[in-house]
């Protein structure tokens, strides 16, 4: 066993002025963590793989994912490509016997997520999903306060999150308007927000929800209309395993900045 966990990333490609999550989040984080080593990167083409490996200080460059999953000096596969590509890459990593970290959302829909989780369980492999709110210091502190009884028994919780709608998008984001691709306000802003609530207060035992698409059209960079069926307004009511009643509203709306308001009421206090 190596002294460090040797990581191979698929989806970290060096760009000029780009906003790739692998390049700007995963690579700096791995360099800051003493127990991890960025061993390899994998991209679609040999030239970009070599350029990315050189830029990020990785020893190995792959342009065939199967070669990286087969490499004995790669312990952990990190998948940070677009959501529609998650399932095939995660399944391949698991079938090769590797530990896998996949960005959120895990799959395009529930069936894909269950398939991946099922294989990981069947093979007893270590896995993680990129729900980073669970490691946010403020979330951890709030969770500890709840567990210590700071507000007493939690009676109710209300979470409202608004994201600024982007009505004109380039090729790097226009694909998110298709609900079938699984990357939208429901799965991203909604998934992260609800997971943060559950991390602090506990999991949902009962749930009822409505989703809708209130902005059915975007425009591409040329100004042409693009139809949208991805949900942008989500309303959830439910009950936690603790018995607390919760309501959640998440929406993408134009012309206002992103904002989050979270209020939990306890038998002793309110915060």
């Amino acid at each position: 066993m190596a002294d460090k966990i040797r990581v191979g990333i698929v989806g970290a490609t060096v760009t000029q002025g780009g906003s790739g999550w692998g390049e700007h989040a995963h690579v700096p984080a791995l360099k800051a963590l003493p127990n991890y080593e960025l061993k390899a990167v994998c991209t679609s083409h040999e030239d970009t793989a070599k350029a990315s490996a050189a830029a990020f200080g990785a020893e190995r460059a792959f342009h065939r994912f199967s070669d990286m999953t087969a490499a004995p000096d790669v312990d952990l596969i990190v998948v940070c490509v677009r959501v529609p590509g998650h399932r095939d890459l995660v399944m391949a990593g698991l079938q090769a016997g590797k530990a896998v970290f996949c960005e959120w959302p895990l799959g395009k829909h529930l069936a894909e997520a269950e398939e991946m989780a099922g294989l990981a369980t069947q093979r007893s492999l270590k896995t993680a999903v990129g729900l980073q709110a669970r490691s946010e210091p403020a979330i951890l502190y709030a969770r500890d306060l709840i567990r210590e009884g700071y507000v007493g028994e939690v009676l109710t919780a209300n979470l409202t999150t608004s994201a600024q709608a982007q009505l004109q998008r380039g090729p790097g984001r226009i694909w998110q308007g298709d609900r079938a691709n699984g990357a939208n306000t429901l799965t991203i802003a909604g998934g992260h927000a609800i997971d943060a609530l559950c991390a602090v207060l506990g999991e949902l035992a009962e749930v009822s929800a409505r989703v809708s698409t209130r902005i059915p059209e975007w425009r591409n960079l040329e100004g042409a209309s693009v139809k949208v069926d991805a949900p942008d307004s989500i309303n959830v009511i439910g009950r936690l395993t603790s018995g607390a009643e919760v309501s959640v509203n998440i929406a993408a709306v134009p012309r206002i900045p992103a904002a989050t308001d979270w209020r939990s009421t306890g038998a002793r206090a309110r915060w």
Side-chain angles (χ1 to χ4, degrees):
M1 184 67 180
D3 293 335
K4 294 185 177 182
I5 296 174
R6 299 165 296 184
V7 179
I9 295 183
V10 55
T13 305
V14 65
T15 60
Q16 292 185 352
S19 58
W21 193 244
E23 177 185 4
H24 295 291
H26 285 277
V27 171
L30 286 169
K31 290 182 177 180
L33 294 170
N35 296 325
Y36 291 80
E37 174 190 358
L38 178 56
K39 188 72 173 181
V41 295
C42 180
T43 71
S44 300
H45 305 283
E46 185 175 7
D47 57 341
T48 58
K50 290 180 177 179
S52 299
F56 303 146
E59 181 179 325
R60 306 194 66 182
F62 296 95
H63 62 284
R64 286 186 291 267
F65 186 64
S66 58
D67 291 342
M68 188 167 78
T69 62
D73 54 353
V74 173
D75 306 308
L76 170 64
I77 299 293
V78 172
V79 176
C80 54
V81 302
R82 293 180 180 181
V83 180
H86 285 185
R87 182 262 176 201
D88 289 350
L89 296 172
V90 169
M91 293 294 284
L94 295 173
Q95 287 163 351
K98 301 292 187 181
V100 176
F101 177 105
C102 182
E103 266 306 334
W104 178 265
L106 177 57
K108 293 185 294 184
H109 43 66
L110 179 61
E112 282 194 351
E114 289 179 334
E115 182 183 17
M116 289 179 267
L119 182 58
T121 299
Q122 177 188 336
R123 301 210 169 187
S124 300
L125 293 169
K126 294 182 178 180
T127 57
V129 181
L131 288 162
Q132 61 266 24
R134 287 181 173 255
S135 59
E136 164 63 37
I139 296 297
L140 294 173
Y141 181 55
R143 181 201 63 186
D144 291 344
L145 288 176
I146 293 294
R147 291 181 178 179
E148 293 165 4
Y150 182 75
V151 300
E153 178 188 8
V154 176
L155 304 177
T156 65
N158 176 266
L159 174 62
T160 300
T161 296
S162 60
Q164 189 168 20
Q166 302 298 318
L167 305 184
Q168 186 172 37
R169 300 185 179 214
R173 289 288 181 263
I174 200 77
W175 61 275
Q176 294 177 331
D178 184 347
R179 182 172 185 162
N181 287 326
N184 50 63
T185 303
L186 169 62
T187 61
I188 299 177
H192 283 294
I194 293 171
D195 183 68
L197 183 146
C198 291
V200 173
L201 300 178
E203 297 298 325
L204 285 156
E206 298 178 14
V207 65
S208 178
R210 283 181 54 83
V211 300
S212 60
T213 303
R214 300 294 297 142
I215 304 174
E217 178 185 298
W218 294 345
R219 293 191 177 278
N220 62 24
L221 295 184
E222 290 71 42
S225 175
V226 177
K227 290 184 178 179
V228 173
D229 66 354
D232 53 34
S233 179
I234 299 96
N235 289 282
V236 179
I237 58 171
R239 181 178 62 83
L240 301 179
T241 54
S242 66
E245 296 287 335
V246 300
S247 63
V248 179
N249 172 256
I250 298 147
V253 291
R255 291 184 291 278
I256 68 168
T260 296
D261 183 80
W262 178 355
R263 300 174 187 269
S264 298
T265 303
R268 289 180 50 198
R270 182 182 180 189
W271 57 277

